[in-house]
Amino acid sequence: MSMVDILLMHHLLKAIRPGTRLVLTGDVDQLPSVGAGNVLKDIISSGVINTVKLTEVSDRLKKALLLSMRTGSTEGKCRR
């Protein structure tokens, strides 16, 4: 969701039926969209919707990240 621009969000909202629950996930600290707008950041900043901010990384995710980094390093693909 972090890199969604205004045009893509417009099409998404037009495509869903009234009454549909839309759950958006993303990271406002990621790079913004290449196209126009900073949709996720603007939606969160508006204060119109409820938001939840994750503040800690679970042990499961830590293990997955470590495995990903280890696999990448053995294949010569170091992620930063």
Side-chain angles (χ1 to χ4, degrees):
M1 181 65 213
S2 306
M3 296 184 73
V4 171
D5 64 16
I6 291 173
L7 184 60
L8 183 57
M9 188 63 167
H10 170 76
H11 288 294
L12 170 65
L13 294 176
K14 281 183 65 173
I16 61 175
R17 295 179 184 192
T20 299
R21 181 178 296 196
L22 180 62
V23 177
L24 306 173
T25 61
D27 182 350
V28 294
D29 295 325
Q30 284 188 356
L31 294 172
S33 64
V34 175
N38 198 348
V39 176
L40 181 64
K41 188 172 184 177
D42 291 343
I43 289 172
I44 292 171
S45 297
S46 74
V48 174
I49 63 167
N50 295 326
T51 61
V52 175
K53 184 174 183 175
L54 302 178
T55 57
E56 57 187 67
V57 179
S58 70
D59 287 339
R60 186 174 168 186
L61 182 56
K62 286 178 190 175
K63 289 177 185 175
L65 291 171
L66 288 172
L67 178 61
S68 173
M69 289 176 6
R70 185 182 74 197
T71 303
S73 66
T74 59
E75 294 174 359
K77 301 174 188 173
C78 186
R79 294 178 59 193
R80 295 179 186 224

